[in-house]
């Protein structure tokens, strides 16, 4: 493994779930996980919040942002 390979906590933004996984990803944040401090990387969605794995019908508000952008762009024209 590369020299930068170490345990990293991946935190799901949607559900708050945390996963400790070996990774080489660059991070600037840290967090406590099971009493120890680890580098932290935030992910928008994971198996704990993705509808395919949870079986839930959950909608993310991505379309609202797109619509607001289109409205602002139309006003500038």
């Amino acid at each position: 493994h590369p020299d930068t390979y170490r345990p990293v906590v991946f935190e799901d933004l949607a559900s708050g779930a945390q996963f400790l996984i070996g990774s080489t990803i660059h991070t600037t944040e840290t967090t406590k996980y099971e009493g120890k401090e680890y580098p932290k990387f935030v992910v928008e969605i994971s198996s704990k919040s993705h509808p395919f794995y949870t079986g839930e019908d959950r909608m993310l508000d991505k379309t609202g942002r797109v619509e607001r952008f289109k409205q602002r762009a139309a006003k500038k024209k």
Side-chain angles (χ1 to χ4, degrees), residues 1-69:
H1 291 291
D3 295 336
T4 56
Y5 186 79
R6 75 250 184 257
V8 176
V9 173
F10 286 82
E11 185 174 317
D12 184 328
L13 191 60
S15 71
Q18 294 182 325
F19 305 92
L20 183 63
I21 303 170
S23 178
T24 60
I25 195 163
H26 176 72
T27 64
T28 56
E29 297 180 59
T30 60
T31 189
K32 289 260 186 189
Y33 182 80
E34 295 183 353
K36 293 175 112 182
E37 185 134 349
Y38 293 100
K40 177 176 96 169
F41 188 79
V42 177
V43 293
E44 195 168 311
I45 195 163
S46 73
S47 62
K48 289 290 185 184
S49 61
H50 193 282
F52 180 80
Y53 296 104
T54 62
E56 295 177 4
D57 248 352
R58 181 185 283 182
M59 295 295 291
L60 297 176
D61 185 29
K62 301 257 184 206
T63 56
R65 287 190 265 170
V66 172
E67 292 303 318
R68 287 193 300 267
F69 173 77

